Amino acid sequence: MTQRMVVIGGDAAGMSAASQARQLRGPDELSIVAFERGRFTSYSACGIPYWISGLVDDPQELIVRDPETFRRDHHIDVRIRHEVTRIDLAAREVVATSFGDGGREVREPFDTLVYATGAAPAQPPWAGNAASGVFGVQTLDDGAALRDWLDQEPVPRRAVVVGGGYIGVEMAEALIRRGLAVTLVERSPQPMSTVDPDMGALVRSALVGLGIDVRTGVSVTGLHERDGRVCEVLTDAGAVPADVVVLGLGVRPNTGLAEQAGLPIGVTGGVRTDLQMRVVGVPDVWAAGDCVETFHRVSGQPVHIPLGTHANKQGRVAGINIGGSYATFPGVIGTAITKVCDLEVARTGLLEREAAKAGYAYVSATVESNNRAGYFPGAAPMTIKLIAEQHTGQLLGGQIVGTSEAAKRIDVLSVAVWNRMSVAEMTALDLGYAPPYSPVWDPVLVAARRANNAVAETP
């Protein structure tokens, strides 16, 4: 008898789960229905700022598989512009509203359910202002709306980006590239709170160098409109003129439906799952992606780290298990990377405050070194910071800020963190060397030696 699988959410986690289950079980054995409230499936949300900036010409380039491809080649019934409004676990069905059919209600039974609703953008009270010209950039539909606004006449000239995290700094770059005057407003002392404050200060300097008006330690209190269009952002340090406002205030797990259905929610606000991505205590219900809580391999604590890399892996694990095979998700260490024009920023493992919260006694070491041999054209400095456990020297985390070929060195550090290497072991790593790519002593090795010295000097 054919079983029925329903997926809520048509992006990375949901469609990875559906695709993997389909590979293992044919359409005669498993029918799959996927609901997506937007118009697109399986796209790179991380690429939206680069489409806004013009570096990517066509939004279709960001789409890995469109709904028709899933229907035709994978026998997955993708229903776009359908919003699931209720999960009835007792009746084993979901209730959805069709946006394209006069709001018609659809009921779909399931034997297996995958909850992959992603994350919802943080929405402060003042953002509910009815003024037009205020945008989030969570989905490809959001990006399309912002592009349309930027392409209108008269062309917007002044932009305010609220929030200095990954999305905020990437959107600041995108808007600078489009020729707008950009102000970045961040309530923390430095942008990029995903790195330590001393590394965030380097990011701030680079942003200012690009001509971005960076205002830190400032909180937004409201918006002012004229003729229904935003014209100012109000802050506790005065008003900032704006023709367009972009919100980059972070996200939270999108778990409203899950809570209504009685699915277990963890301390981070994400759905609780086991290692196979099965929702804890709820038979035949799985969850994956930015809506779930996972655990940090270094701190051992539950975390919510919304990244496409995690979503794809978790969806794949869920799909493998639904398909009748076996897989587990091993946790995360928070590796992330971004760029602002020529500046590259990366981190992995724990920050200082996170190491302290987890109960580690730690040492930190920061070095500046070149990306290439000093005599080679294009040689430029980067700053690497390592955090190691005080007595064992285990690498707990690392951060990098620099220019060309700097940030991808975070992958060396992430492998070391993942495998619980000590900074002493790292000093002997056999890394590639050639003048166009590295000095004889790669910056990672220089930083490891400095950290190892700090460990040795610990009483």
Side-chain angles (χ1 to χ4, degrees):
M1 185 174 180
T2 303
Q3 289 191 314
R4 198 160 188 80
M5 172 179 172
V6 170
V7 179
I8 306 175
D11 201 6
M15 299 317 294
S16 290
S19 298
Q20 196 65 44
R22 170 58 72 233
Q23 287 184 32
L24 295 170
R25 301 175 69 183
D28 292 336
E29 187 180 353
L30 179 69
S31 69
I32 304 175
V33 177
F35 290 103
E36 167 55 45
R37 72 184 309 274
R39 294 179 294 151
F40 306 98
T41 56
S42 291
Y43 60 87
S44 171
C46 299
I48 293 173
Y50 308 108
W51 174 43
I52 299 298
S53 73
L55 288 173
V56 175
D57 294 328
D58 189 335
Q60 294 298 317
E61 296 178 38
L62 303 180
I63 299 172
V64 180
R65 290 189 183 91
D66 60 22
E68 183 54 35
T69 299
F70 279 115
R71 297 183 192 112
R72 182 187 65 245
D73 298 342
H74 303 275
H75 303 286
I76 297 173
D77 181 6
V78 177
R79 303 180 189 179
I80 57 173
R81 304 293 289 150
H82 280 70
E83 182 175 16
V84 175
T85 57
R86 185 160 60 90
I87 300 169
D88 190 332
L89 293 177
R92 310 289 284 178
E93 69 176 10
V94 300
V95 180
T97 299
S98 170
F99 293 146
D101 195 13
R104 180 173 62 92
E105 186 177 272
V106 177
R107 293 176 176 269
E108 194 68 41
F110 65 84
D111 298 296
T112 298
L113 178 68
V114 176
Y115 189 90
T117 54
Q123 192 84 349
W126 53 262
N129 190 301
S132 57
V134 181
F135 300 91
V137 284
Q138 185 74 9
T139 68
L140 202 51
D141 291 283
D142 295 336
L146 176 55
R147 279 279 302 223
D148 289 344
W149 183 267
L150 295 174
D151 290 339
Q152 68 176 345
E153 295 290 344
V155 176
R157 299 175 58 189
R158 303 167 301 181
V160 174
V161 177
V162 183
Y166 292 110
I167 291 296
V169 298
E170 289 171 1
M171 287 306 305
E173 174 191 356
L175 296 168
I176 280 283
R177 285 185 178 275
R178 289 188 65 111
L180 280 75
V182 178
T183 300
L184 178 70
V185 180
E186 167 59 49
R187 66 182 179 182
S188 298
Q190 300 292 357
M192 294 298 292
S193 61
T194 50
V195 296
D196 285 324
D198 53 340
M199 302 295 275
L202 300 177
V203 178
R204 179 198 176 105
S205 296
L207 292 171
V208 171
L210 295 171
I212 298 170
D213 180 7
V214 181
R215 305 191 184 187
T216 52
V218 174
S219 296
V220 174
T221 58
L223 302 172
H224 186 214
E225 64 180 80
R226 184 181 296 117
D227 299 326
R229 298 165 62 97
V230 66
C231 64
E232 284 183 325
V233 174
L234 308 178
T235 79
D236 56 7
V240 185
D243 302 312
V244 61
V245 176
V246 176
L247 305 179
L249 294 167
V251 297
R252 56 175 175 75
N254 187 2
T255 55
L257 274 175
E259 292 185 72
Q260 292 173 16
L263 302 185
I265 306 299
V267 295
T268 67
V271 177
R272 291 181 58 220
T273 67
D274 62 17
L275 295 179
Q276 295 184 50
M277 305 311 301
R278 182 169 34 216
V279 174
V280 173
V282 185
D284 302 315
V285 179
W286 311 73
D290 293 352
C291 61
V292 307
E293 175 176 280
T294 186
F295 71 96
H296 200 289
R297 287 171 60 91
V298 182
S299 71
Q301 297 176 347
V303 290
H304 176 247
I305 301 179
L307 289 172
T309 51
H310 303 159
N312 277 286
K313 293 171 190 172
Q314 290 171 346
R316 183 174 184 273
V317 167
I320 288 172
N321 288 306
I322 292 168
S325 192
Y326 174 78
T328 60
F329 184 72
V332 301
I333 56 173
T335 306
I337 189 170
T338 191
K339 69 180 288 294
V340 188
C341 293
D342 291 334
L343 182 74
E344 302 175 1
V345 185
R347 54 98 26 116
T348 190
L350 303 179
L351 307 182
E352 288 184 334
R353 65 176 181 270
E354 293 167 342
K357 181 180 178 181
Y360 283 107
Y362 65 88
V363 298
S364 299
T366 303
V367 301
E368 185 177 288
S369 182
N370 282 346
N371 60 336
R372 305 173 184 173
Y375 57 79
F376 200 89
M382 72 179 75
T383 302
I384 297 184
K385 180 176 183 177
L386 300 185
I387 300 167
E389 189 175 15
Q390 188 169 329
H391 295 292
T392 67
Q394 178 187 336
L395 183 66
L396 302 177
Q399 300 159 55
I400 302 176
V401 176
T403 53
S404 176
E405 296 142 20
K408 277 300 281 182
R409 282 177 164 87
I410 203 69
D411 290 339
V412 176
L413 301 183
S414 70
V415 171
V417 170
W418 188 273
N419 290 286
R420 296 177 171 83
M421 292 182 67
S422 70
V423 288
E425 291 173 316
M426 290 176 61
T427 62
L429 286 173
D430 189 359
L431 303 182
Y433 160 68
Y437 301 106
S438 170
V440 172
W441 286 101
D442 188 89
V444 168
L445 300 179
V446 176
R449 281 166 41 196
R450 181 73 61 85
N452 189 46
N453 290 341
V455 171
E457 292 167 2
T458 302

